[in-house]
Every structure is written in C-alpha cells, then in structure tokens.
Amino acid sequence: LGDDGRAALADARAALALLPAEDWEVGPIETALGGVVEARQAKPRDVYQPLRVALAGTAVSPGIFETLTVMGREESLRRLDGVLAGP
C-alpha cells in the first residue's frame, strides 16, 4: 500500500471499529465506509480497494460489504490491524 492507501485503510478501520457486533451487516458497514469516502473526498475505489486487498489478499473479491459481513467483525478488524502494523 502507498501512503494514501494506508491512510484510507486506517480511516476505514477506525470507522468499522465503531460498529458494534450486532450492527455488523451490509447496510451499516456500507454507511460507515461511505462516510470515510465522503470525509476523505475520495472515490469509493480509493477506500474499497485497499480494504479488498487487506481482507482478501487480492484486488479481486466479492463485494466489499458482503466480504466484511461474512468475515465477521473480529476477523475483519484483525486482518486490517495486521496490514496496518506491517512495513
């Protein structure tokens, strides 16, 4: 990840961490990440692509909201933390 991708990933991780486990569904996740896109004045792909790579390990995956939902809150945050802690 470049500096912009890492910053977008950190912002996304912070927004997702605010969602309680009972709200870990497509709608609330989409709203939280949409707020990151808006706050960064970015294109959705500038936020979602770093997330996709961090979560799935590839630039191609099912929908990012669905991926997060299926992975679950704890696993998703753990993977994001791992990428953000790396070099």
Side-chain angles (χ1 to χ4, degrees):
L1 289 173
D3 290 341
D4 287 340
R6 188 170 292 280
L9 194 59
D11 290 348
R13 197 268 183 228
L16 291 170
L18 295 175
L19 287 177
E22 61 270 11
D23 289 340
W24 198 262
E25 298 175 1
V26 169
I29 290 170
E30 185 173 5
T31 299
L33 294 177
V36 173
V37 170
E38 186 176 315
R40 294 182 61 76
Q41 297 181 341
K43 295 180 181 174
R45 72 171 178 228
D46 296 335
V47 174
Y48 302 159
Q49 196 64 9
L51 269 172
R52 183 170 282 112
V53 171
L55 295 169
T58 179
V60 178
S61 75
I64 193 64
F65 312 125
E66 292 80 5
T67 299
L68 284 157
T69 301
V70 170
M71 281 188 162
R73 184 180 189 278
E74 296 310 313
E75 179 64 14
S76 297
L77 295 177
R78 186 188 68 74
R79 288 188 186 202
L80 296 174
D81 287 343
V83 170
L84 289 168

